[in-house]
């Protein structure tokens, strides 16, 4: 089952807006929002939730006050300073607790238990562009990489069950754990880059990550006309590294208008929509060819 993951080294490049358009253009596929820390693809796609699931991951400490003798050992031994005085009692701050279990081990009264942690929710939904899986991690929670893995697994099962042809994923910005998890098993990474110094810098970091995992990359230079010199430098980098360039899109306020209307740009009559269609066709060709070919004269 082919899997495409749309990534950008930094936020604000237009990654999610383009993913929404690709979801619109995709036929017989499933869309998967892997930006679990700050998901927003659902705002554009307005999915109907069919099934909701709790995401349980890791453990957190709980103090049974009736057994606690207030010896203070746990407070001293917790290197994350998660245990603190609360009135006459000791309490665990769940935002600080890392679930390491040290307090549980050192407590002489067996007053501390480690309980499973409810870190977020994930959803199986239907959208106007087909099935969708998405999630929301609770504030301050970790294990985003594991949640990404849960979503991808569900997307694969749904795709198999419904004989779908493609899994399209919206990844998170950066190069951290959720991005690495989203690249696992991907056949093509679409990297959306904007021509700014930070955009170029962060693009190289995520490109390095794709190279490290031997995942072909296809590049979209978005808002390319905002800085022609940096856009040209990014093109040169793509040539040097052998990345396929799927599209070079101009800055166009139509994308903002479409977002306000909760539409993908390809659902509008904007000329930018037609350019995104061309980029998507290039991506599909590159997916088929393994993406190590520059296909678009810029
Ligand atoms: S489990 Fe670890 S981090 Fe959490 S309160 Fe106990 S010692 Fe601190
Ligand atoms: S180590 Fe156990 S008995 Fe001592 S203060 Fe902590 S919870 Fe209470």
């Amino acid at each position: 089952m082919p899997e495409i993951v749309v990534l950008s080294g930094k936020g604000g490049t237009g990654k999610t807006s383009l993913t929404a358009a690709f979801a619109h253009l995709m036929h017989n596929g499933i869309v998967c929002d892997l930006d679990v820390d700050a998901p927003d693809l659902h705002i554009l796609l307005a999915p109907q939730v069919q099934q909701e699931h709790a995401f349980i991951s890791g453990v957190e400490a709980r103090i049974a006050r009736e057994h606690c003798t207030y010896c203070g050992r746990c407070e001293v031994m917790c290197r994350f300073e998660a245990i603190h005085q609360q009135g006459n009692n000791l309490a665990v701050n769940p935002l600080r607790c890392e679930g390491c279990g040290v307090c549980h081990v050192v407590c002489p009264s067996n007053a501390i238990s480690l309980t499973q942690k409810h870190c977020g929710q994930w959803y199986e939904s239907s959208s106007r562009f087909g099935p969708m899986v998405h999630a929301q991690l609770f504030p301050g929670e970790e294990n985003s990489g594991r949640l990404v893995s849960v979503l991808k697994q569900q997307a694969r099962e749904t795709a198999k069950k419904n004989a779908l042809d493609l899994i399209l994923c919206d990844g998170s910005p950066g190069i951290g754990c959720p991005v690495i998890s989203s690249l696992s098993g991907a056949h093509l990474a679409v990297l959306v880059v904007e021509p700014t110094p930070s955009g170029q810098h962060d693009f190289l970091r995520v490109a390095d990550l794709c190279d490290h995992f031997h995942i072909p990359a296809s590049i979209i230079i978005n808002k390319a006309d905002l800085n022609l010199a940096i856009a040209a430098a990014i093109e040169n980098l793509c040539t040097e590294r052998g990345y396929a360039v799927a599209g070079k899109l101009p800055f166009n306020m139509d994308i903002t208008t479409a977002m306000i209307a909760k539409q993908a740009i390809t659902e509008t009559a904007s000329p930018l929509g037609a350019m995104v269609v061309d980029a998507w066709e290039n991506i599909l060709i590159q997916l088929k060819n393994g993406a190590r070919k520059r296909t678009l004269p810029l």
Side-chain angles (χ1 to χ4, degrees), residues 217-272:
S218 173
I219 315 304
I220 292 185
I221 306 174
N222 198 19
K223 308 176 230 177
D225 50 345
L226 289 185
N227 189 321
L228 295 175
I230 296 182
I234 292 169
E235 281 184 69
N236 288 338
L237 279 168
C238 292
T239 306
E240 279 166 23
R241 288 183 166 226
Y243 297 144
V245 178
K248 187 178 168 188
L249 306 173
F251 176 77
N252 189 323
M253 282 297 289
D254 288 349
I255 202 131
T256 310
T257 308
M259 259 194 286
I260 292 167
K262 297 186 180 176
Q263 286 185 310
I265 189 68
T266 46
E267 293 179 283
T268 72
S270 168
L272 184 60

Side-chain angles (χ1 to χ4, degrees), residues 22 25 246 275-287:
F22 298 153
L25 299 171
M275 299 178 82
V276 173
V277 171
D278 288 345
W280 178 243
E281 284 170 2
N282 282 325
I283 287 167
L284 292 182
I285 292 167
Q286 290 157 8
L287 177 69

Side-chain angles (χ1 to χ4, degrees), residues 5 19 24 26 44 50 56 82 88 95 97-98 116 139-141 147 164 168 174 181 204 215 227 240 242 248 273:
V5 181
T19 307
H24 174 224
M26 167 178 73
L44 280 173
Q50 308 292 326
I56 309 291
N88 293 327
L95 288 178
C97 178
E98 295 282 328
Q116 286 195 313
E141 295 299 349
L147 181 52
L164 303 178
L168 174 68
S181 184
L204 278 173
I215 294 169
N227 189 321
E240 279 166 23
K248 187 178 168 188

Side-chain angles (χ1 to χ4, degrees), residues 42-62:
H42 65 281
I43 297 171
L44 280 173
L45 268 52
Q48 302 290 312
V49 173
Q50 308 292 326
Q51 289 194 55
E52 182 170 354
H53 310 268
F55 173 57
I56 309 291
S57 185
V59 292
E60 64 185 349
R62 291 244 170 101

Side-chain angles (χ1 to χ4, degrees), residues 186-199:
H187 296 86
L188 179 69
V190 174
L191 307 184
V192 181
V193 53
E194 64 175 23
T196 60
S198 57

Side-chain angles (χ1 to χ4, degrees), residues 148-204:
V148 164
S149 163
V150 168
L151 291 182
K152 287 195 82 167
Q153 190 54 39
Q154 183 59 49
R156 286 169 188 153
E157 283 172 21
T158 304
K160 192 172 173 190
K161 193 170 138 198
N162 297 291
L164 303 178
D165 297 325
L166 186 65
I167 297 173
L168 174 68
C169 302
D170 185 23
S172 11
I175 55 167
C177 187
V179 175
I180 291 169
S181 184
S182 67
L183 281 171
S184 167
H187 296 86
L188 179 69
V190 174
L191 307 184
V192 181
V193 53
E194 64 175 23
T196 60
S198 57
Q200 183 180 3
H201 173 268
D202 292 353
F203 158 68
L204 278 173

